[in-house]
């Protein structure tokens, strides 16, 4: 089974840059999207063979997630927890026979960490949610998690320490999540590989490969034995992020 996750930074724009050709050629069983920035009725496109599930933000043109899946899930739920987490379209949970899939677009802490308090609440509440799911069946958790966990995960760690995405607080929350029974699939399989999944549109960052690894597939520890491959598809364009992939043994 092949899964792909991609922050498309506006699905309508990404479609105009080749998204459908990529999706068709990918052979993915499940495609998870973040930052769709749209309502489902705002675009009509042909992607045969996939069931489509959308979670759009209350605010139009902002945030949003989607899951396109060949196998119809047993159930699909949107958002989680308290009302504060239920207005930005950031979570879709799809239940399959042998795992839960959670597609996530984590809130950005913003410049000068203006939203760090909410981000910390989000991290704690979401970790609790994932752990509750994990009691029932294993979890595949993917998306733009808006944190580079270790120094190897961004080009310039020293000048970026303390900034959104590389603050000590955010990194500690990722450490806590991994300590709660989850594995970072890419880093587990490729402990020393330097590869990034996001580049600023400024300063020719992608051309210089001055990027960050902030897009992930995490899995419950007991699911790691089924992980065949985890990759960062940095040759794919169409967004300021590139897709990441996970291949599970059937």
């Amino acid at each position: 089974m092949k899964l792909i996750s991609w922050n498309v930074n506006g699905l309508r724009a990404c479609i105009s840059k080749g998204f459908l050709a990529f999706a068709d050629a990918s052979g993915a069983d499940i495609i998870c999207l973040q930052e769709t920035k749209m309502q489902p009725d705002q675009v009509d496109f042909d992607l045969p063979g996939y069931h489509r599930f959308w979670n759009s933000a209350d605010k139009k043109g902002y945030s949003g997630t989607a899951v396109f899946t060949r196998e119809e899930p047993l159930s699909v739920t949107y958002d989680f927890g308290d009302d504060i987490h239920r207005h930005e379209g950031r979570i879709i949970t799809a239940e399959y026979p042998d795992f839960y899939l959670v597609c996530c677009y984590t809130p950005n802490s913003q410049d000068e960490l203006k939203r760090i308090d909410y981000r910390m609440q989000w991290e704690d509440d979401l970790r609790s949610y994932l752990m509750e799911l994990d009691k029932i069946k294993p979890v595949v958790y993917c998306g733009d998690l808006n944190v580079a966990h270790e120094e190897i995960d961004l080009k310039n760690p020293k000048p970026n320490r303390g900034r959104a995405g590389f603050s000590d607080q955010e990194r500690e929350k990722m450490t806590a999540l991994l300590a709660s029974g989850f594995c970072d699939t890419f880093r587990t399989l490729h402990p020393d590989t330097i590869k990034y999944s996001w580049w600023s549109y400024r300063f020719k960052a992608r051309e210089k490969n001055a990027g960050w690894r902030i897009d992930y597939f995490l899995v419950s520890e007991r699911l790691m034995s089924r992980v065949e491959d985890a990759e960062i598809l940095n040759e794919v364009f169409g967004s300021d992020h590139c897709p990441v992939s996970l291949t599970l043994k059937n």
Side-chain angles (χ1 to χ4, degrees), residues 11-28:
L11 180 56
R12 288 171 291 177
C14 197
I15 287 174
S16 73
K17 298 174 183 176
F19 170 80
L20 294 177
F22 164 76
D24 183 61
S26 71

Side-chain angles (χ1 to χ4, degrees), residues 98-182:
D98 51 356
F99 64 88
Y100 285 105
L101 171 74
V102 180
C103 171
C104 176
Y105 178 37
T106 299
N108 191 298
S109 295
Q110 300 183 353
D111 291 342
E112 299 179 357
L113 302 183
K114 286 183 289 191
R115 212 182 185 196
I116 192 68
D117 290 344
Y118 174 63
R119 172 68 177 267
M120 295 297 97
Q121 179 182 352
W122 167 279
E123 294 284 356
D124 289 340
D125 292 349
L126 186 61
R127 185 172 66 254
S128 296
Y129 173 67
L130 294 173
M131 291 173 69
E132 287 300 313
L133 292 178
D134 188 54
K135 290 177 183 177
I136 303 169
K137 61 179 72 172
V139 175
V140 175
Y141 173 48
C142 70
D144 174 1
L145 304 189
N146 258 318
V147 60
H149 185 215
E150 303 289 355
E151 290 195 354
I152 191 175
D153 295 318
L154 73 166
K155 178 71 171 181
N156 297 304
K158 286 183 172 57
N160 283 296
R161 185 173 179 184
R163 295 181 179 177
F166 199 60
S167 67
D168 292 348
Q169 302 97 306
E170 292 163 309
R171 297 170 66 197
E172 287 165 3
K173 294 299 184 186
M174 174 62 87
T175 298
L177 177 58
L178 296 175
S180 300
F182 295 90

Side-chain angles (χ1 to χ4, degrees), residues 152-153 186-187 190-195:
I152 191 175
D153 295 318
F186 179 82
R187 189 54 70 210
H190 310 286
D192 301 314
T193 299
I194 296 174
K195 242 181 176 183

Side-chain angles (χ1 to χ4, degrees), residues 56-75:
S56 301
D58 295 353
K59 179 182 176 182
K60 289 189 176 181
Y62 176 73
S63 188
T65 47
V67 172
F68 304 155
T69 171
R70 294 189 184 277
E71 179 182 349
E72 186 169 7
L74 301 176
S75 66

